[in-house]
Amino acid sequence: MRIAIVIMAAGKGTRLKSKRAKVLHQIGGKPLLEHVISAARQIVPPQDIFVIVGHQAGAVQAEMAHTGVNFVLQSEQRGTGHAILCARQAVHGYEHILVLSGDVPLLEAQTIAQLRDFHIAEHAAMTILTAVPENPFGYGRILRKSANSPEVAAIVEQKALTSAQEKIGEINSGIYAFSTKPLFEHIQELSTNNAHGEYYLTDMARILVEEGERVIALQAPSATQVLGANTLAELASLDAEIRLATARRLMASGVTIYRPETTVLDADVEVAPDTIIEPFVQLLGHTRIGEGCRIRSYSVIENSTLENHVLVRQGCVILDSHVRAGALIGPYAHLRPGSEIGEEAHIGNFVETKKVRLGKGSKANHLTYLGDAEIGSGVNIGAGTITCNYDGTSKHRTLIEDGVFVGSDSTLVAPIVIGRGAYIAAASCITEDVPEDALALGRARQTTKPGWVSAHRGTRQPAKDAVKGS
Ligand code: UD1
Ligand code: CA
């Protein structure tokens, strides 16, 4: 049996009051539409998925191109019924279509499968996925033929509800299964005779019933799964919901999260057991964290991998980086893209790294910038060390071999090589390569003038206000 999935994603999302297309707004770190496509791909291969695009079609297609789905253009957004009409050519060879909404992102694949199976087993022309949420306001309501019957008479949109119908708790999720033959035989009967002057797909329920076709409803396993996002407030609560679900998934697998409601976890984040995540941590993008790690408060880690037993102290920013086992980061460290921190290495407070490889057990504990550098193992980088990697036009590399000691407040002017085991005296400005095992000093000699202070006393007046203070 050939089944296609059609995802409606052409609408502007007027109620968001945003320039950006609604389906590109994110929850859990991913566009709404991407969540829906991911669920759909668990049911059918991407070549059987058709996304209807319209508002900002180019941007939506570009952002979703990696999913391999098809796109159908609805150049004018004349309603959900019109959206499906636009897909007619694309899906005419399929016996059934499952229709999803690009703005109903929490739907699980298992529920889509249940809808498909129920629709086919019941030989229905249209099967509507419904729910009974706490607050049904704003949704279309389901008019069943009778209370205990799966059969539906019609769907009534919020604005058309009579006061008696307003009490109906069962809502239309905007997710349906259709048998393509009766759907496309009668879709032309839709009219724009309604509050928005649009072709409502929901009207197909009444039309098909009038044609003697079977229209039925299936209640979703939870109302949360079919919540839609029409306003930024609704988007925020779906975002909280999906992040909490991620936290629950991690906790169930052995991760300790002290205050899950304060953490910001993107949907694809993975964390191994026995890791502790403190309050107000953000783990974003494709971040992977090993076991036995501790991520202390206010750290933000994005698209990075941390191996086992890493300690990230408070307030660190780690982006597109890799931290090996047992390393110690922060507090207040900034690992910029391309930082590879070696096993048991230390990156301390106010240290910034970028495109750096730091070897096993090497340490940069305080106030340092390391950029475009290859640093061996067992290296000690003193406080305030700077790799001067930029000459105003291009970037240059610094190579520091194993066992080097760099004294505090040194500037290493790249390109430069510091040979194995060399020793850089504190406060040096190093502009020439230093050979293995050498001591390099690059600073002015100190001049000391004994008795200079008392000889000058009385000749220099303190500024008038200096001692008055307050
Ligand atoms: C729709 C249903 C409503 C249901 C609710 C569930 C209709 C008329 N109403 O209302 O019964 O309770 O979903 O969330 O269908 N879209 C297009 N092209 C268009 C118009 C919309 O592709 O011309 C897309 C939108 O991008 C969106 C989806 O269809 O992803 C639903 O449209 P929306 O305007 O959000 O419908 P609701 O008012 O939420
Ligand atoms: Ca909607």
Side-chain angles (χ1 to χ4, degrees):
M1 190 166 309
R2 298 202 64 213
I3 295 179
I5 293 185
V6 178
I7 304 174
M8 300 184 290
K12 178 162 188 268
T14 313
R15 288 162 280 184
L16 288 186
K17 309 214 164 52
S18 158
K19 289 199 184 87
R20 199 167 159 72
K22 168 155 70 171
V23 295
L24 292 182
H25 279 259
Q26 299 199 342
I27 64 163
K30 268 198 307 197
L32 295 178
L33 181 55
E34 197 171 338
H35 290 278
V36 181
I37 292 176
S38 302
R41 283 182 57 173
Q42 293 177 52
I43 303 297
V44 299
Q47 64 267 26
D48 294 330
I49 299 177
F50 299 84
V51 178
I52 300 174
V53 292
H55 185 72
Q56 292 184 355
V60 175
Q61 267 179 259
E63 276 203 43
M64 295 300 127
H66 67 97
T67 62
V69 299
N70 306 288
F71 297 96
V72 173
L73 185 67
Q74 182 194 18
S75 40
E76 234 185 306
Q77 287 75 63
R78 296 161 69 187
T80 45
H82 179 252
I84 297 302
L85 187 60
C86 291
R88 184 188 206 152
Q89 275 309 106
V91 302
H92 84 275
Y94 296 89
E95 278 174 65
H96 301 281
I97 59 170
L98 304 171
V99 174
L100 311 182
S101 268
D103 67 341
V104 180
L106 302 182
L107 184 71
E108 287 171 21
Q110 218 185 345
T111 308
I112 305 174
Q114 277 170 15
L115 176 70
R116 173 199 60 199
D117 296 346
F118 187 65
H119 173 76
I120 289 167
E122 291 282 324
H123 303 285
M126 175 181 188
T127 305
I128 306 155
L129 187 69
T130 68
V132 184
E134 249 169 63
N135 179 9
F137 184 85
Y139 292 94
R141 305 304 154 77
I142 303 296
L143 261 58
R144 294 217 183 207
K145 283 190 173 171
S146 68
N148 294 318
S149 158
E151 287 190 52
V152 170
I155 302 171
V156 184
E157 289 302 292
Q158 174 72 42
K159 285 193 173 156
L161 292 172
T162 63
S163 51
Q165 289 168 339
E166 272 177 23
K167 298 199 178 73
I168 298 175
E170 188 175 24
I171 61 111
N172 168 30
S173 68
I175 291 151
Y176 321 86
F178 284 101
S179 297
T180 30
K181 196 162 166 283
L183 169 66
F184 290 119
E185 260 170 28
H186 300 292
I187 198 165
Q188 303 286 9
E189 293 161 36
L190 288 177
S191 78
T192 56
N193 184 15
N194 54 52
H196 288 112
E198 288 186 348
Y199 294 99
Y200 286 171
L201 184 59
T202 46
D203 285 343
M204 284 313 298
R206 181 186 42 77
I207 291 170
L208 288 168
V209 169
E210 280 169 7
E211 295 293 338
E213 297 284 351
R214 185 167 163 79
V215 177
I216 57 174
L218 172 70
Q219 258 188 37
S222 79
T224 311
Q225 268 196 52
V226 299
L227 290 176
N230 292 321
T231 63
L232 286 177
E234 284 170 357
L235 210 62
S237 63
L238 295 196
D239 181 69
E241 191 61 48
I242 197 163
R243 292 185 190 283
L244 212 50
T246 306
R248 282 195 214 101
R249 163 171 70 80
L250 296 180
M251 291 189 284
S253 71
V255 178
T256 297
I257 305 179
Y258 286 148
R259 296 285 300 277
E261 71 279 15
T262 69
T263 54
V264 177
L265 306 173
D266 276 359
D268 294 333
V269 161
E270 281 174 24
V271 184
D274 293 318
T275 281
I276 298 172
I277 298 172
E278 293 191 2
F280 299 102
V281 163
Q282 298 196 22
L283 303 179
L284 309 175
H286 294 279
T287 290
R288 306 262 174 283
I289 296 184
E291 60 179 48
C293 295
R294 187 180 188 111
I295 315 298
R296 308 214 60 182
S297 293
Y298 310 111
S299 288
V300 179
I301 305 177
E302 189 168 350
N303 291 326
S304 294
T305 299
L306 274 55
E307 295 182 2
N308 299 340
H309 304 291
V310 169
L311 169 62
V312 177
R313 293 198 173 112
Q314 293 87 337
C316 292
V317 176
I318 301 179
L319 182 60
D320 295 321
S321 291
H322 189 116
V323 180
R324 294 193 194 285
L328 220 149
I329 312 292
Y332 313 112
H334 185 184
L335 308 192
R336 290 166 54 204
S339 298
E340 261 191 71
I341 309 303
E343 239 175 275
E344 284 162 19
H346 293 187
I347 294 290
N349 38 206
F350 307 109
V351 173
E352 173 183 346
T353 64
K354 186 215 72 175
K355 281 194 192 151
V356 155
R357 196 146 61 193
L358 189 70
K360 184 172 176 178
S362 290
K363 293 174 184 164
N365 272 327
H366 338 261
L367 304 160
T368 286
Y369 173 60
L370 302 172
D372 301 298
E374 177 94 28
I375 300 170
S377 58
V379 169
N380 199 307
I381 306 280
T385 297
I386 306 287
T387 53
C388 308
N389 58 332
Y390 187 51
D391 60 12
T393 348
S394 34
K395 299 281 169 70
H396 301 282
R397 294 189 62 77
T398 298
L399 174 60
I400 302 176
E401 294 180 352
D402 294 347
V404 164
F405 181 95
V406 180
S408 295
D409 196 26
S410 292
T411 49
L412 310 174
V413 182
I416 199 139
V417 178
I418 316 290
R420 175 185 280 263
Y423 197 105
I424 309 294
S428 290
C429 176
I430 300 296
T431 53
E432 287 162 21
D433 289 354
V434 179
E436 209 177 297
D437 205 34
L439 165 68
L441 290 116
R443 63 187 183 215
R445 267 182 188 283
Q446 179 173 334
T447 311
T448 308
K449 300 189 175 175
W452 185 91
V453 177
S454 53
H456 285 73
R457 198 163 281 146
T459 64
R460 291 160 74 233
Q461 295 292 327
K464 256 195 173 168
D465 295 339
V467 279
K468 280 191 190 157
S470 55

